[in-house]
Amino acid sequence: MRTPIIAGNWKMFKTPQQAAEFARALIPELEPLAGAERVVCPPFIDIPAVHDALAGTSIKVGAQNVHEALQGAYTSSISAPMLQGLVEYVIVGHSEVRQYLGEKNETINKKVKVLLDHHLKPIIAVGESLAQNQAGETDTIVSGQTLAALTDVPVEALATLVIAYEPIWAIGTGLACPSDQANAIVGGIRKTLAGRYGDEAAQTVRIQYGGSVKPDNMHDYMSQPEIDGALVGGASLKVDDFVTLTRIAIEAKGV
Ligand code: 13P
């Protein structure tokens, strides 16, 4: 049984003060919903405030990116040792980072390895563009991104890392991927993992869906057997919505 994981990617929203207030407002509602893992991923500058606000609760903090080097002349970047003690999860490979910051599969693989070395858990985002989707290339693209991100990553890591299938065309557009299609694609990712690591290990990996997840479509995703949670942008910025998404996951998965 895979524990569902609902992660909120706040992207570039909320000042440190707003982030801390929001985190405090989440606690009474989210703390009792322990059947699912709940993670919030604020902007870097907000992380210490959110970490402090959530200290002593079961709500976890994640970062939205990391640099692959441990330190050095990399203006504007944040390294894994800097995040240690503040976050448990780190998103890598988000399509916005791939697109706007030119992040490549090879770099994502380095980031995954540096995170695992520092006992931080990667949430590896993969997903195809609209053109790739329309050309019928989705499975090839997402399995290629998954295998590239996991080059030289040992099988033991599969128990801690998370994969997020986020079709680019579904992010922030309201055009959510139909849940049965998302389930089939996530199942394909699991099959790809089974090909490299064996079926038993592949069955332990949690794979989320992301892209226009809202309270009104969450049940469809969570009732799909391959989908283990959601990576949520817009709807994670509202306390009520994030709590509702978590409740729906717990109910649908029976945890
Ligand atoms: P939306 O939920 O706003 O579509 O964003 C999804 C996303 O990019 C999460 O990482």
Side-chain angles (χ1 to χ4, degrees), residues 187-247:
I189 294 172
R190 204 178 296 289
K191 219 175 191 173
T192 297
L193 291 170
R196 180 180 287 175
Y197 293 102
D199 194 46
E200 200 178 320
Q203 287 301 326
T204 66
V205 181
R206 290 181 299 171
I207 309 180
Q208 301 170 304
Y209 169 77
S212 296
V213 172
K214 306 285 176 216
D216 64 2
N217 60 23
M218 184 67 167
H219 182 79
D220 293 345
Y221 292 112
M222 292 306 107
S223 50
Q224 298 290 344
E226 293 288 355
I227 301 177
D228 302 314
L231 181 57
V232 187
S236 75
L237 297 168
K238 296 184 197 131
V239 172
D240 287 355
D241 282 358
F242 195 60
V243 170
T244 303
L245 295 177
T246 308
R247 276 215 183 92

Side-chain angles (χ1 to χ4, degrees), residues 7-9 11 91 94-96 125 164 166 170-174 210-214 231-236:
N9 173 7
K11 306 193 179 182
I91 300 169
H94 194 281
S95 61
E96 288 153 14
E166 295 205 306
I171 294 175
T173 58
S212 296
V213 172
K214 306 285 176 216
L231 181 57
V232 187
S236 75

Side-chain angles (χ1 to χ4, degrees), residues 23-247:
R24 281 193 291 271
L26 281 176
I27 295 170
E29 310 271 351
L30 266 195
E31 182 62 7
L33 303 180
E37 220 176 334
R38 294 130 295 150
V39 186
V40 293
C41 304
F44 283 131
I45 190 75
D46 299 348
I47 286 175
V50 172
H51 168 268
D52 291 353
L54 296 177
T57 76
S58 58
I59 306 165
K60 295 172 177 173
V61 185
Q64 298 175 17
N65 197 359
V66 68
H67 196 279
E68 64 274 24
L70 302 187
Q71 59 179 16
Y74 300 103
T75 300
S76 87
S77 300
I78 300 286
S79 71
M82 295 171 187
L83 292 171
Q84 271 182 318
L86 288 171
V87 306
E88 185 166 330
Y89 285 92
V90 180
I91 300 169
V92 294
H94 194 281
S95 61
E96 288 153 14
V97 182
R98 291 181 194 252
Q99 185 180 348
Y100 303 132
L101 301 177
E103 193 188 44
K104 298 272 177 284
N105 281 334
E106 299 71 45
T107 316
I108 294 163
N109 175 237
K110 286 183 188 157
K111 292 179 178 186
V112 168
K113 287 189 281 201
V114 94
L115 290 174
L116 293 169
D117 283 348
H118 290 79
H119 307 288
L120 294 163
K121 299 173 181 169
I123 298 177
I124 304 166
V126 300
E128 83 288 5
S129 68
L130 184 60
Q132 290 164 335
N133 181 281
Q134 288 172 342
E137 295 169 358
T138 300
D139 286 325
T140 313
I141 295 289
V142 299
S143 67
Q145 289 173 337
T146 303
L147 290 176
L150 296 178
T151 302
D152 298 328
V153 169
V155 65
E156 301 77 57
L158 268 59
T160 52
L161 61 81
V162 174
I163 293 177
Y165 168 57
E166 295 205 306
I168 299 171
W169 49 272
I171 294 175
T173 58
L175 286 176
C177 179
S179 59
D180 54 341
Q181 279 178 39
N183 188 65
I185 294 158
V186 167
I189 294 172
R190 204 178 296 289
K191 219 175 191 173
T192 297
L193 291 170
R196 180 180 287 175
Y197 293 102
D199 194 46
E200 200 178 320
Q203 287 301 326
T204 66
V205 181
R206 290 181 299 171
I207 309 180
Q208 301 170 304
Y209 169 77
S212 296
V213 172
K214 306 285 176 216
D216 64 2
N217 60 23
M218 184 67 167
H219 182 79
D220 293 345
Y221 292 112
M222 292 306 107
S223 50
Q224 298 290 344
E226 293 288 355
I227 301 177
D228 302 314
L231 181 57
V232 187
S236 75
L237 297 168
K238 296 184 197 131
V239 172
D240 287 355
D241 282 358
F242 195 60
V243 170
T244 303
L245 295 177
T246 308
R247 276 215 183 92

